[in-house]
Amino acid sequence: VMLSILLLQPIFSPCSAALAPTPRSTPTLAKPAALPKVPIKYPGDTDKTIVRRAEWIEEAQKEGTLIWWTTLRQPEIHSIIAEFNKVYPSIKVEYWRGEGEAIASKVEAEFNSGRHTVDILQGGEPGNYPRWRKIGIMEKFTDIIPAIEKLDKRMYAKNNDWVAVASIISSPTYNTKLISAAEAPKSWEDLLNPKWKGKLGVTTDMKVWTNLALGEGKSWGITKTEEFLIKLKKEQNLIFAASHPSGHAMVMSGEVAILADNYVRFVLLDKEKDAPVEWVRVSPLSISGPSITLQKKAPHPNAARLFLEWLLSPQGLVLYEEKTRSGAAFPGTGTKTSKLVEGMPLVVRTEETLLKIQELGLDEKFAGILGVTSGQ
């Protein structure tokens, strides 16, 4: 038996050796690909957004141009373009300036003729957006906004195809030579005080009142707003201004002691010059403002996305406010305007509230209560 075992051992030994596990070599880990260099980075950037930006830059350099239609004044346009070109010097920005309705008419005329020459619109009138969306004028783009998760959702469209780049804050304002801070109104309701009779100005623009009625936020509702306007008309000998600039001029000259619905921006600009004017921190504050859109058939889509990403970034919003003196009031934007109204309730004129206002004919209804023709 022992001899048999010894004879079999050489036979089985090689098999045992074959079955023994062989040592594994350590796999070589591939080095991560270096991220492309980009001329600017934003809060919340990821590898994905940096790679995407680099791809846009490559394609935008081939496009070479960006077309922007806007309601801004020429000095403001030029200064914004200059700032953008500090980051992207190879992209030539061309622009056309017009009023909101003129921009809307022009883009529709182009669309209907089959021409597509513009990339970005600013001031195309939100009342047109549902129809534009339906016929294919507007492109979704809000996903490219840096740190969008930190922004108030009322700043951009639920359909993700427009953004309010700045805010128009409306509030009562007064002449500090005629009214002291102690006796000045502290709320909307204080405007009903009989002591202001013959001293109170109101514009024929119903935007503030329709916003108080239906704006997104803690609005009053239609009934309360109607009751307020009825009392305002009854208690005060109102002095009407055809526009906000003319109404502000009336406050500055002392023709009226208070303008019920002034633009806070005007007040802030004149206070820098030590003018005798102040605004009332009422609750809620009315917010409206111009919005910006990307065209679905933009001829320079990559340049357009680079511009929108830059303009709507924290850096861009601060620069926009610096150059136009009009900033976004919403939390998370980092603007002086947002810090000015921090913690204050806002009622915002969004696309949805505007459509409801138009559907109910509130501009005409409220203007009728005050006895004027709406300046809207």
Side-chain angles (χ1 to χ4, degrees):
V1 175
M2 182 63 69
L3 180 60
S4 300
I5 293 171
L6 291 171
L7 291 172
L8 290 172
Q9 193 173 18
I11 299 174
F12 289 107
S13 292
C15 296
S16 302
L19 293 173
T22 56
R24 295 182 180 178
S25 59
T26 303
T28 302
L29 296 176
K31 292 182 179 180
L35 287 174
K37 292 183 178 180
V38 291
I40 188 170
K41 292 185 179 179
Y42 304 113
D45 255 341
T46 63
D47 291 0
K48 181 180 178 181
T49 60
I50 291 172
V51 169
R52 181 180 67 182
R53 188 171 310 129
E55 292 171 350
W56 289 343
I57 292 170
E58 183 178 355
E59 294 303 315
Q61 287 174 341
K62 299 174 187 176
E63 295 166 356
T65 305
L66 166 68
I67 311 296
W68 176 28
W69 293 356
T70 177
T71 56
L72 292 177
R73 297 177 302 145
Q74 285 191 344
E76 297 168 341
I77 298 168
H78 292 158
S79 61
I80 290 171
I81 291 173
E83 292 295 335
F84 175 69
N85 282 149
K86 288 179 182 178
V87 182
Y88 298 110
S90 63
I91 300 174
K92 180 182 179 183
V93 182
E94 299 178 358
Y95 70 89
W96 180 78
R97 183 191 179 279
E99 298 303 320
E101 285 298 346
I103 289 175
S105 298
K106 186 172 181 178
V107 76
E108 289 205 26
E110 283 210 352
F111 181 85
N112 291 333
S113 68
R115 297 176 64 236
H116 307 285
T117 64
V118 62
D119 299 299
I120 295 169
L121 292 184
Q122 183 179 2
E125 301 301 311
N128 296 312
Y129 291 171
R131 182 165 45 82
W132 287 3
R133 200 173 283 129
K134 187 175 181 180
I135 65 178
I137 290 181
M138 297 166 66
E139 181 66 278
K140 295 183 178 182
F141 71 92
T142 59
D143 63 311
I144 74 174
I145 299 174
I148 188 172
E149 68 280 356
K150 295 183 179 180
L151 297 181
D152 189 307
K153 293 186 183 302
R154 294 173 294 181
M155 187 175 169
Y156 56 92
K158 291 178 173 64
N159 288 287
N160 301 315
D161 51 16
W162 60 256
V163 178
V165 68
S167 302
I168 297 174
I169 307 171
S170 299
S171 172
T173 62
Y174 62 94
N175 186 309
T176 56
K177 287 185 176 179
L178 302 177
I179 301 174
S180 69
E183 65 176 342
K186 304 297 186 293
S187 67
W188 293 108
E189 289 82 359
D190 283 352
L191 297 176
L192 300 176
N193 193 315
K195 70 181 180 180
W196 307 130
K197 192 164 188 174
K199 301 177 181 178
L200 185 63
V202 180
T203 73
T204 58
D205 184 346
M206 297 295 110
K207 195 183 285 99
V208 166
W209 316 121
T210 57
N211 211 19
L212 283 176
L214 287 179
E216 195 166 333
K218 294 183 178 180
S219 55
W220 284 359
I222 295 173
T223 301
K224 179 178 177 178
T225 309
E226 284 183 341
E227 292 173 350
F228 173 83
L229 292 176
I230 289 169
K231 290 178 182 177
L232 192 68
K233 174 67 174 177
K234 182 180 179 181
E235 297 295 335
Q236 308 295 358
N237 183 19
L238 298 174
I239 302 169
F240 290 98
S243 67
H244 291 93
S246 62
H248 180 69
M250 291 164 67
V251 176
M252 295 292 289
S253 68
E255 185 177 347
V256 297
I258 304 172
L259 184 64
D261 55 329
N262 200 3
Y263 289 165
V264 171
R265 175 173 177 260
F266 295 163
V267 177
L268 297 177
L269 288 172
D270 279 329
K271 282 185 67 176
E272 290 179 1
K273 305 169 189 174
D274 295 323
V277 64
E278 186 56 272
W279 65 286
V280 182
R281 288 153 176 78
V282 290
S283 178
L285 284 172
S286 172
I287 303 293
S288 58
S291 52
I292 195 163
T293 63
L294 171 64
Q295 302 308 284
K296 188 175 283 291
K297 296 184 179 180
H300 314 100
N302 296 288
R305 287 185 171 90
L306 286 175
F307 183 81
L308 289 169
E309 182 189 48
W310 170 81
L311 182 67
L312 300 169
S313 69
Q315 297 100 307
L317 289 170
V318 168
L319 278 170
Y320 183 93
E321 179 182 54
E322 179 185 315
K323 302 304 179 183
T324 67
R325 313 302 293 276
S326 182
F330 298 100
T333 57
T335 62
K336 291 180 181 178
T337 303
S338 68
K339 293 168 186 173
L340 184 71
V341 302
E342 189 173 6
M344 301 179 69
L346 310 176
V347 283
V348 183
R349 187 181 179 91
T350 63
E351 178 187 343
E352 289 75 20
T353 60
L354 174 59
L355 293 174
K356 191 68 174 178
I357 288 164
Q358 292 175 338
E359 177 188 338
L360 297 174
L362 285 191
D363 282 309
E364 295 76 15
K365 186 173 186 178
F366 289 173
I369 291 173
L370 294 176
V372 296
T373 300
S374 174
Q376 274 286 81

